[in-house]
Amino acid sequence: MEYKSEEEFLKAYDPSKFERLSVTADILILSVSSEESDNYRKTDKKRMSVLLVKRRDYPFKDMWCLPGGFVGYNEDLEEAPKRILKQETNLKNIYLEQLYTFGDVNRDPRMRIISTSYMALIDKSLLNESLSEDASWFDVTLMEEGNMVDMVFDNGEVTFSVKIEKHLREKTTDRYQFIVKKNDHLAFDHPRVILSGLERLRNKINYTDIVFNMMPEYFTLGELQQVYEVILNKKLLDPAFRRIIEPKVEKTDKMRTGGGHRPSVLFRYKDKD
Amino acid sequence: MEYKSEEEFLKAYDPSKFERLSVTADILILSVSSEESDNYRKTDKKRMSVLLVKRRDYPFKDMWCLPGGFVGYNEDLEEAPKRILKQETNLKNIYLEQLYTFGDVNRDPRMRIISTSYMALIDKSLLNESLSEDASWFDVTLMEEGNMVDMVFDNGEVTFSVKIEKHLREKTTDRYQFIVKKNDHLAFDHPRVILSGLERLRNKINYTDIVFNMMPEYFTLGELQQVYEVILNKKLLDPAFRRIIEPKVEKTDKMRTGGGHRPSVLFRYKDKD
DNA sequence: TGAATAGTGTCTGTGAGACAATATTAT
DNA sequence: ATAATATTGTCTCACAGACACTATTCA
């Protein structure tokens, strides 16, 4: 059939003849938590923190999963994670980054679902509203040994661990293939989403400024270094860190005192000129 | 309503109550082309090469686009680009990497479509079959000046250029925002897909071995260096390049002769041990 | 012989890693 | 006074950039 114009074509077009799928957006909300120390001199121990939601329904009833939801027919794909983020945390204007789109036929036992995952970075201190009843912040700690990664989750009440094997595979789709070896608590393929988000953050910390999305306006270099260390999962040397970070921050005239040790200057993120 | 088990729940589940969208996969097929020199001594000039398809139907009739197609209801998302790649080039087992998922409501005038884009890297010398009638290899040359990128396409018959402005935007979804300033020949949002693929390749060349997917089994370091230069869009210094590449390749006892100059050793990709 | 590419040697500057040393606070 | 963190100084080593030099071929 021949059409004279694009208009004419569109008028005669019947979208229903194509196969349609459901699309969801899952969102990995990351933040940093501080655990108060018993020693008044010691600084609070920082950990990566991820927001999980307890499933009240089948499938995966009573397991934990990332906040997510269906993408509406009249909703831009990127609006969906924003909407869900607002819903869960009441936050807007948050750093949001697309991670990956998963779409194996059997990834959801209910029906065919394509799922685009996003990563959000937030500063926990902005959270004033209480979370919805089923949501909970879990500290995540990565224990890495060779190819094996043990992700340990802890929200103060529940603790569980997920074991994942990483395989380098240059010749195929992705840099790493994640094979979940042990998982009794996380629903769907969310272990992979979480690990790939954490690794994405770890890689990007070196060539972008996205960490500052997790920081309050004023911070000490020690605090910032702790966040780096938690994300990179290793200790950094103070002088080296200060050299690297120096062009990204600016000194303020404020100080943090009261720690039983030399007070430290508060810095602020210095935007590119 | 309460269900006793996951099985029972799934039995009662009605997928039709959720909104459904169409999902397509677009695939950026990249390769390297050589333009023969008139001077017998000079080596062939290499260029990046991308496979485009001429649209025979509305919308965007007569414009060029990336090969693509709908993801079937019973097809894994990652199978779709493989199927399309096979269809267009008759190649299998090709390096394939997911780029990004686009899903603005109005990105396709026909209907709501979510599109996941992939990048494939191929060695053109493997192509024996002729292309389908509407497909054509275009050389792409990037002219970069500050924020502006001018992508020049040339398939020997048609030449056109697409101008894109790059904006760094750390605080929002992606590292760069691409704003298409001039485009009369590429359909949909494919200019962005192409540019982001080329930039992804450029970044990854330094910390992965994916270039070798575009190389034949045996190659000289000069040829490999040319491919690097085309991808990075800048000249490299020979000694530095050889230092960097040394651990990734292994010398063979073959030589390339006949060039009116000193013959060169053929190398081969050395897989990680 | 000369044009062209192949391949090697070496100097230099930059920047990360390592470690040492000093400064300052609350209890 | 002491434990703890804050902050600075400096040495070294690895490595990329730069440039010079030698090697080898074919019309």
Side-chain angles (χ1 to χ4, degrees), chain B residues 228-243:
Chain B
Y228 268 73
E229 289 173 346
V230 152
I231 291 171
L232 296 172
N233 209 12
K234 69 175 180 195
K235 280 268 165 239
L236 300 177
L237 295 169
D238 299 7
F241 179 74
R242 277 159 185 271
R243 264 192 315 242

Side-chain angles (χ1 to χ4, degrees), chain B residues 39 41 239 242 260-262 264-265:
Chain B
N39 181 337
R41 286 186 204 270
R242 277 159 185 271
H261 49 74
R262 175 171 172 179
S264 64
V265 176

Side-chain angles (χ1 to χ4, degrees), chain A residues 26-31 48-50 66 95 97-100 102 117-121 140 142 151 164 176 178 189-205 210 214 230-232:
Chain A
D26 290 324
I27 170 164
L28 173 65
I29 306 176
L30 295 179
S31 185
M48 284 306 297
S49 201
V50 50
L66 300 175
Y95 179 85
E97 164 172 342
Q98 194 183 96
L99 285 176
Y100 202 78
F102 297 92
S117 51
Y118 288 83
M119 172 171 75
L121 303 182
V140 203
L142 296 191
M151 291 199 289
I164 298 180
Y176 290 105
F178 295 147
D189 44 14
H190 291 179
R192 284 156 69 194
V193 179
I194 296 172
L195 184 55
S196 63
L198 292 172
E199 298 213 329
R200 177 92 134 241
L201 176 57
R202 185 186 294 186
N203 287 329
K204 276 203 159 179
I205 204 177
I210 57 175
M214 312 178 81
V230 152
I231 291 172
L232 295 171

Side-chain angles (χ1 to χ4, degrees), chain B residues 142-267:
Chain B
L142 295 191
M143 324 270 277
E144 298 170 279
E145 271 185 56
N147 286 339
M148 286 299 302
V149 182
D150 195 355
M151 290 199 288
V152 182
F153 293 82
D154 183 352
N155 73 342
E157 294 174 2
V158 193
T159 305
F160 59 87
S161 118
V162 176
K163 287 190 172 45
I164 298 180
E165 213 174 80
K166 280 169 60 175
H167 289 277
L168 191 63
R169 49 166 195 183
E170 299 281 6
K171 287 275 182 183
T172 60
T173 303
D174 298 292
R175 190 153 158 69
Y176 289 105
Q177 182 181 20
F178 295 147
I179 299 171
V180 178
K181 286 292 184 178
K182 185 198 138 214
N183 169 33
D184 302 318
H185 296 81
L186 289 178
F188 304 106
D189 44 15
H190 292 178
R192 284 155 68 191
V193 179
I194 296 172
L195 184 55
S196 64
L198 292 172
E199 299 213 327
R200 177 93 135 238
L201 176 57
R202 185 185 294 186
N203 288 329
K204 276 203 158 179
I205 204 177
N206 289 317
Y207 66 94
T208 71
D209 295 352
I210 58 175
V211 220
F212 295 101
N213 292 294
M214 312 178 83
M215 301 301 294
E217 184 173 3
Y218 298 100
F219 48 82
T220 68
L221 292 188
E223 288 161 358
L224 184 58
Q225 185 173 340
Q226 275 188 77
V227 174
Y228 268 73
E229 289 173 346
V230 152
I231 291 171
L232 296 172
N233 209 12
K234 69 175 180 195
K235 280 268 165 239
L236 300 177
L237 295 169
D238 299 7
F241 179 74
R242 277 159 185 271
R243 264 192 315 242
I244 293 162
I245 216 65
E246 192 270 328
K248 298 186 176 184
V249 295
E250 62 187 5
K251 205 179 257 195
T252 69
D253 51 9
K254 296 182 171 58
M255 302 280 280
R256 167 103 71 232
T257 55
H261 49 74
R262 175 171 172 179
S264 64
V265 176
L266 286 171
F267 285 77

Side-chain angles (χ1 to χ4, degrees), chain A residues 9-36:
Chain A
F9 164 84
L10 287 173
K11 218 168 140 190
Y13 192 83
D14 175 18
S16 67
K17 69 184 173 195
F18 293 104
E19 298 194 275
R20 294 163 140 215
L21 320 174
S22 296
V23 179
T24 63
D26 290 324
I27 170 164
L28 173 65
I29 306 176
L30 295 179
S31 185
V32 178
S33 68
S34 311
E35 184 188 335
E36 235 174 279

Side-chain angles (χ1 to χ4, degrees), chain A residues 80-98:
Chain A
K82 285 183 197 166
R83 170 173 53 78
I84 296 159
L85 192 57
K86 177 89 166 51
Q87 193 172 294
E88 293 290 335
T89 64
N90 203 27
L91 293 177
K92 282 197 300 182
N93 292 323
I94 289 300
Y95 179 85
L96 204 57
E97 164 172 342
Q98 194 183 96

Side-chain angles (χ1 to χ4, degrees), chain A residues 58-61 109, chain B residues 3-11:
Chain A
Y58 294 107
F60 301 107
K61 190 166 179 313
Chain B
Y3 300 100
K4 291 237 168 54
S5 72
E6 182 149 338
E7 254 168 289
E8 197 190 324
F9 165 84
L10 287 172
K11 218 168 143 191

